[in-house]
Amino acid sequence: MSEFLMHSPDTDSNVRRPGLRAAVVMRREYIGNQWQPWRWNLSDVVPNEAAFGDKPRLLIKDEQQECWLHPNFLVELSLGDAEGYYLNVTTDHPCFWVVWRMEEEALLADEPLAVPQIVTLSYHDAGRWLDAQENVEQVAAPAEVVFWLKDFVAQHHVLEPKRRQRPQSFKSLQDRFGSPARVSTDKFRGGGGRG
């Protein structure tokens, strides 16, 4: 399998932003549930090759699974999202995120397929799509992509200085039940009676 072909604006005048070409493998697996016998999930993100062509194609089909290759996704890096890439490469397992949707009607096969829409390396992008209730799955990024992404982050990400948290003295006091608490500064001396 070939490696990801990564571009940078310095080496390719036609590319405005650094990017790479990828292909997505979606897998439909048999789970044997009476209400939903099949389930779609992300299988892999691989380097795109010219031999893949431009249209999705069936790779494997048997009683237990079905795998489809969806070629030619451009994964670009944006200067404005350097923090999103930083959050990805500083995790234990940097990854690709893929947003996918089910076809409304079967266009590529006999039954509707799960079709990838977007591939990204940005933690922020993935979070926005998850917040929008989209299907977002992740798969580990290979070492050469992680190295390339770390290089981009090192050049373009600036850590914001930590800000001192202001004292929270302006907040009202509450007891353990959430009711406003009374604090008295009166001092009582002597025995148990106040009368």
Side-chain angles (χ1 to χ4, degrees), residues 4-187:
F4 284 93
L5 179 60
M6 291 158 267
H7 323 267
S8 74
D10 303 329
T11 60
D12 187 351
S13 60
N14 295 327
V15 178
R16 292 189 202 140
R17 296 192 283 184
L20 59 84
R21 292 272 175 196
V24 177
V25 179
M26 295 298 296
R27 180 173 181 254
R28 185 174 95 146
E29 62 183 339
Y30 182 72
I31 55 175
N33 185 305
Q34 65 180 356
W35 290 282
Q36 181 184 348
W38 296 90
R39 171 179 57 204
W40 281 98
N41 56 36
L42 172 64
S43 180
D44 206 356
V45 174
V46 298
N48 195 66
E49 296 182 15
F52 294 165
D54 293 330
K55 295 185 177 134
R57 63 179 165 145
L58 180 64
L59 298 176
I60 300 170
K61 184 173 184 174
D62 60 33
E63 301 83 32
Q64 295 299 313
Q65 69 175 340
E66 186 175 318
C67 290
W68 284 79
L69 176 74
H70 299 266
N72 214 18
F73 285 89
L74 178 60
V75 182
E76 287 187 307
L77 302 182
S78 168
L79 293 176
D81 202 8
E83 184 182 2
Y85 309 127
Y86 168 78
L87 293 172
N88 188 3
V89 297
T90 56
T91 64
D92 292 337
H93 306 286
C95 62
F96 283 105
W97 284 279
V98 176
V99 178
W100 61 269
R101 295 181 183 145
M102 289 299 296
E103 289 181 306
E104 302 249 338
E105 57 185 66
L107 299 174
L108 300 169
D110 297 338
E111 296 180 42
L113 301 180
V115 179
Q117 305 295 309
I118 298 168
V119 180
T120 187
L121 289 162
S122 169
Y123 184 89
H124 290 316
D125 285 345
R128 282 189 288 269
W129 291 316
L130 282 168
D131 289 345
Q133 306 290 316
E134 294 284 354
N135 292 313
V136 181
E137 292 189 49
Q138 66 187 42
V139 65
E144 71 265 19
V145 172
V146 174
F147 179 77
W148 175 69
L149 190 59
K150 282 183 178 179
D151 185 49
F152 181 86
V153 167
Q155 291 178 29
H156 303 291
H157 182 255
V158 178
L159 280 172
E160 289 188 27
K162 290 188 177 183
R163 296 181 184 172
R164 182 179 155 269
Q165 185 175 3
R166 293 179 165 231
Q168 297 186 0
S169 59
F170 60 88
K171 288 188 173 181
S172 63
L173 295 175
Q174 296 179 343
D175 65 12
R176 64 184 176 154
F177 303 109
S179 302
R182 282 183 43 176
V183 177
S184 173
T185 58
D186 295 337
K187 291 188 179 180

